[in-house]
């Protein structure tokens, strides 16, 4: 009897939470209620909560509302894309949730294998479920950095029926000008979240982040990093989820204080131009190296507008651009060429 | 005695031609004179001539001069990059010559193999020589299309000492607004050059161009095409070179009349914005699909600034951009989604 009441309470909690989301979840609320103990349902709730909390914080500071698009994927699943374009503070802000399932193609499976997973399909097919929340926020003001985060969960079924699962994610910052205090705040907040779970998480995932967001042909990182991890299937599903939840819970406290701090900072046309050049580098990374983008472009039926939502509204490519020695722009480049330890 | 005079005459012709180039050729003039009968020397002269003729035509219409950079590649060879940025007519105009040699890496060789060439290296190494002229011209005015051309020659030495060689190239147009007469002029000029060599060249290479410059994830071609060919090693080296020369000779007559026609066309802020959206698509193609860019980014010691010179000065990514039905922008999209036969 007591457990029946507890069950009802949990179910009504799910319903209550859904009311605060940007849109109804991709999976029917009833299904989420029925399967509330399963990791896929718990993760879907987490990514919906993260989207709602972050969008709300962005709307509050910008004064404009996100445009919310619900979309379905013919092959299975769908998503909710929230975009705020040409706002007061933000040039382009995108927060996307997707919950997709189906069979992995060989090309997409190859992308997976490169992450170190050996996966054996039945007749070349690998049933999978992938879900995540991802966001890129490009502000107008060059003194407010761009932020990106992504938290995701994969389940994949092998030929013998066994399920493999893993989490991935991270949050990273891309300033146009370096601000020591911002960097310390950002990394410190992430470190604190990591340290609750494992002493090695922050140092390992900080390093991984610098390595992942590296624009090889430029010899520069995309930004000043943060944390990045993938293939996380330890120490247990419960613990891994708990860690991912801690990370997802930091996206607002990591970024919003930095936005508020520089909200009214004045800037010159030259500073805006340098921002545009850095935006060009952002595009280069995302189109040439980013695994998520590659996976998306190679997955039939994926929603291109949601995948490329991460691209800035505007970008610039100047031939042979090199900031003058001793300038603030050169100082930024120096940090991108030689990643620092901030905390 | 007569042949000695002929030889002297040829050598002084080479020297005379070099005076009109944007810079001295990558290979020493004396070496070019000594090996004047070899295809690599003849092709290097052709690409230098093409660069000079095209740059001159662009400078004449713009009123500004190209910035000329000579660069050397540590691993062998070098190039001459000519860039005119923020001109009166052109936002960014780049005309690049490169003559590089060395050993192909495994990654770069893979790019080659995907073109249908089976190449056997000695101890995994494949000595190669690659040269070409390439250009992308992005004008300010949205009524003047972007043009791109590239003519190139490869020599590669296999483990058994045998040499494989082939030519590749093409010229293609990327308008922001469709102009039937421009399309007919552009394709007609290319067809005329092709028809002198083989009746199948134009139809085959036109189709190849539409296929190559296809942005798969958008379901659109990059522009209205032109011609594209690769792996051309028939019917003989002499004939293939003669065809490439005919194509290279058309770059000025293909494009400049179109520039002059729209030089003073007025345009609105909305038309400029549509141009910027199309520029974003240009970036997507070049960074995600273009084999030349991929090859360049994967070749150690390649000059990034010359490879990415093809990117526009400015570009734009609007979320869910879709032109209104019946608009000129929608008309352009229609052509990009369903390539037409223009001549």
């Amino acid at each position: 009897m007591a457990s029946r009441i507890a069950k009802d309470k949990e179910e009504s909690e799910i319903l209550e939470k859904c009311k605060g989301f940007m849109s109804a979840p991709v999976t029917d609320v009833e299904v989420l209620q029925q399967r509330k103990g399963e990791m896929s349902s718990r993760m879907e709730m987490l990514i919906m909560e993260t989207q709602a909390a972050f969008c709300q914080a962005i709307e509050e500071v910008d004064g404009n509302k996100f445009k919310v698009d619900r979309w379905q994927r013919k092959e299975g699943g769908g998503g909710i894309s929230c975009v705020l374009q040409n706002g007061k503070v933000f040039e382009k802000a995108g927060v996307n949730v997707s919950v997709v399932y189906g069979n992995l193609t060989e090309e997409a499976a190859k992308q997976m294998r490169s992450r170190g997973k050996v996966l054996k399909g039945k007749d070349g097919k690998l049933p999978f479920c992938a879900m995540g929340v991802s966001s890129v926020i490009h502000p107008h003001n060059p003194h407010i950095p761009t932020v990106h985060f992504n938290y995701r969960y994969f389940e994949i079924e092998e030929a013998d029926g066994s399920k493999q699962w893993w989490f991935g994610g991270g949050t990273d910052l891309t300033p146009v000008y370096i601000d020591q205090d911002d960097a310390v705040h950002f990394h410190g907040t992430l470190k604190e979240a990591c340290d609750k779970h494992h002493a090695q998480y922050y140092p390992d995932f900080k390093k991984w982040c610098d390595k992942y967001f590296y624009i090889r042909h430029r010899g520069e990182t995309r930004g000043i990093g943060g944390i990045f991890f993938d293939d996380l299937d330890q120490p247990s599903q419960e613990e891994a989820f708990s860690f991912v939840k801690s990370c997802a819970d930091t996206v607002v406290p990591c970024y919003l204080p930095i936005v508020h701090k520089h909200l009214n900072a004045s800037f010159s046309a030259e500073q805006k131009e340098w921002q545009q050049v850095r935006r060009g580098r952002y595009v280069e990374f995302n189109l040439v190296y980013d695994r998520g983008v590659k996976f998306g472009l190679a997955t039939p039926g994926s929603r291109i507008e949601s995948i490329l939502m991460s691209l800035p509204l505007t970008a610039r490519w100047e031939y042979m651009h090199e900031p003058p020695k001793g300038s603030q722009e050169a100082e930024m480049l120096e940090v991108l060429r030689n990643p620092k330890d901030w905390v």
Side-chain angles (χ1 to χ4, degrees), chain A:
Chain A
M1 188 68 190
S3 82
R4 172 72 227 192
I5 291 168
K7 192 167 169 277
D8 284 352
K9 190 169 166 262
E10 276 177 11
E11 286 182 3
S12 71
E13 265 176 21
I14 287 176
L15 197 66
E16 205 51 44
K17 278 183 179 169
C18 287
K19 287 180 189 162
F21 293 166
M22 299 302 283
S23 166
V26 174
T27 305
D28 274 350
V29 176
E30 276 183 30
V31 175
L32 288 175
Q33 287 174 327
Q34 281 158 20
R35 303 180 187 168
K36 59 185 181 301
E38 286 178 27
M39 187 48 73
S40 55
S41 303
R42 294 168 68 194
M43 185 66 180
E44 187 168 344
M45 289 300 289
L46 176 62
I47 61 183
M48 291 301 298
E49 283 167 40
T50 306
Q51 182 184 50
F54 197 64
C55 284
Q56 204 189 324
I58 293 290
E59 283 181 350
E60 235 169 66
V61 69
D62 193 275
N64 287 287
K65 292 281 175 193
F66 277 90
K67 181 181 181 303
V68 180
D69 283 323
R70 273 184 76 85
W71 48 272
Q72 284 202 307
R73 187 170 164 274
K74 204 176 58 197
E75 295 81 356
I80 298 130
S81 292
C82 301
V83 177
L84 195 165
Q85 202 168 267
N86 251 326
K88 215 179 91 206
V89 176
F90 302 104
E91 188 180 271
K92 198 167 169 190
V95 191
N96 190 49
V97 152
S98 67
V99 179
V100 306
Y101 37 86
N103 287 301
L104 273 182
T105 63
E106 242 171 62
E107 200 173 347
K110 210 166 73 183
Q111 298 283 340
M112 289 281 160
R113 276 200 298 271
S114 77
R115 298 184 202 197
K117 288 272 166 197
V118 179
L119 301 164
K120 286 173 193 163
K122 197 176 172 182
D123 305 329
K125 282 182 188 171
L126 291 151
F128 80 105
C129 169
M131 62 178 73
V133 58
S134 68
S135 175
V136 177
I137 311 289
H138 295 291
H140 288 297
N141 192 320
H143 297 298
I144 309 178
T146 288
V147 77
H148 161 251
F149 69 81
N150 168 237
Y151 290 96
R152 58 194 179 273
Y153 174 67
F154 279 88
E155 272 182 13
I156 200 157
E157 201 183 313
E158 292 196 85
D160 63 3
S162 68
K163 266 191 191 173
Q164 289 213 26
W165 58 264
W166 67 94
F167 293 92
T171 305
D172 63 279
L173 199 71
T174 305
V176 175
Y177 289 98
I178 197 70
D179 180 308
Q180 176 86 17
D181 294 343
D182 289 354
V184 170
H185 163 77
F186 187 81
H187 277 269
T189 309
L190 287 169
K191 183 174 185 301
E192 202 181 310
C194 289
D195 285 353
K196 283 192 281 182
H197 299 272
H198 199 298
Q200 269 314 107
Y201 277 177
Y202 176 76
D204 287 356
F205 299 163
K206 191 271 183 200
K207 213 176 287 169
W208 198 343
C209 189
D210 287 336
K211 202 177 152 197
Y212 179 81
F213 291 102
Y214 183 63
I215 310 172
R216 198 180 54 197
H217 63 267
R218 296 285 187 184
E220 301 166 0
T221 55
R222 187 176 74 174
I224 61 161
I227 57 167
F228 180 90
F229 60 94
D230 203 356
D231 295 332
L232 187 75
D233 53 8
Q234 287 176 4
S236 67
Q237 201 179 41
E238 197 55 43
E239 292 269 357
F241 176 69
S242 165
F243 167 61
V244 168
K245 186 172 172 358
S246 293
C247 293
D249 287 347
T250 66
V251 297
V252 172
C254 265
Y255 185 55
L256 269 295
I258 297 175
V259 175
H260 281 285
K261 182 176 150 192
H262 301 287
L263 207 51
N264 300 310
S266 63
F267 57 88
S268 65
E270 288 70 28
Q271 289 175 326
K272 187 71 191 170
E273 201 166 297
W274 171 241
Q275 178 199 54
Q276 294 297 299
V277 170
R278 298 311 312 166
R279 293 267 156 91
R281 299 289 206 277
Y282 208 91
V283 172
E284 287 177 31
F285 178 83
N286 287 23
L287 293 181
V288 178
Y289 300 108
D290 191 75
R291 283 188 208 142
V293 171
K294 281 188 176 181
F295 179 75
L297 297 185
T299 305
S302 60
R303 191 173 187 259
I304 296 306
E305 288 293 338
S306 299
I307 294 163
L308 298 183
M309 205 171 78
S310 62
L311 300 180
L313 190 60
T314 56
R316 188 174 178 89
W317 282 271
E318 288 201 29
Y319 177 68
M320 299 286 278
H321 189 282
E322 188 68 39
K325 271 185 189 170
S327 65
Q328 284 186 301
E329 291 78 10
E331 193 191 339
M332 181 74 242
L333 260 189
E334 178 59 28
V335 171
L336 300 175
R337 287 173 182 165
N338 303 291
K340 282 178 68 169
D341 285 321
W342 299 101
V343 286

